[in-house]
Amino acid sequence: QVQLVESGGGLVQTGDSLRLSCAASGRTFSMYVMGWFRQAPGKEREFVAAISGSGGSTSVAVSVKGRFTVSRDNAKNTMYLQMNSLKPEDTAVYYCAADLRMGLRQRDYAYWGQGTQVTVSS
């Protein structure tokens, strides 16, 4: 089992950058595929990015490709989401998730953090 805690959210302006972190408990972090999802008010939770256990394979949603980058540091049991050129439509609660296999759907992930709010003002 793994426990996840997100951090790094906040209020920024259009065009700003922000880096989210997801800290994981346990000694088997590198075994887990990690993912980022987000949920805006009144909308369903959507996939943002995912990264394999080794960090060698990533997947990023079309809506954020070229602006967001997912990475991980297995020595620190931490995954990151670097978000550049933020837009108001990026406003959402961002969640990190973990599972043993790569997936793009919410149901592909068994473990979830509590989320961190990102608000982008226009």
Side-chain angles (χ1 to χ4, degrees), residues 2 22 25 34 39-41 46 50 53 55-56 70-71 76 81-82 84-86 102 107 114 122:
V2 61
C22 173
S25 65
M34 301 295 295
Q39 188 166 19
E46 64 175 0
V70 59
S71 62
K76 296 182 178 179
L81 184 68
Q82 178 67 43
N84 298 329
S85 302
L86 283 162
M102 180 71 76
R107 64 186 180 188
Q114 293 301 306
S122 57

Side-chain angles (χ1 to χ4, degrees), residues 93-110:
V93 177
Y94 283 72
Y95 299 89
C96 67
D99 210 287
L100 295 175
R101 294 188 299 178
M102 180 71 76
L104 307 183
R105 301 168 298 182
Q106 195 177 165
R107 64 186 180 188
D108 292 330
Y109 292 85

Side-chain angles (χ1 to χ4, degrees), residues 20-24 29 71-80:
L20 305 183
S21 298
C22 173
F29 179 68
S71 62
R72 66 191 294 161
D73 185 340
N74 286 344
K76 296 182 178 179
N77 279 17
T78 302
M79 173 182 65
Y80 305 98

Side-chain angles (χ1 to χ4, degrees), residues 27-33 52-54 72 74 99-101:
R27 294 178 290 180
T28 58
F29 179 68
S30 62
M31 292 177 56
Y32 288 91
V33 171
S52 63
S54 67
R72 66 191 294 161
N74 286 344
D99 210 287
L100 295 175
R101 294 188 299 178

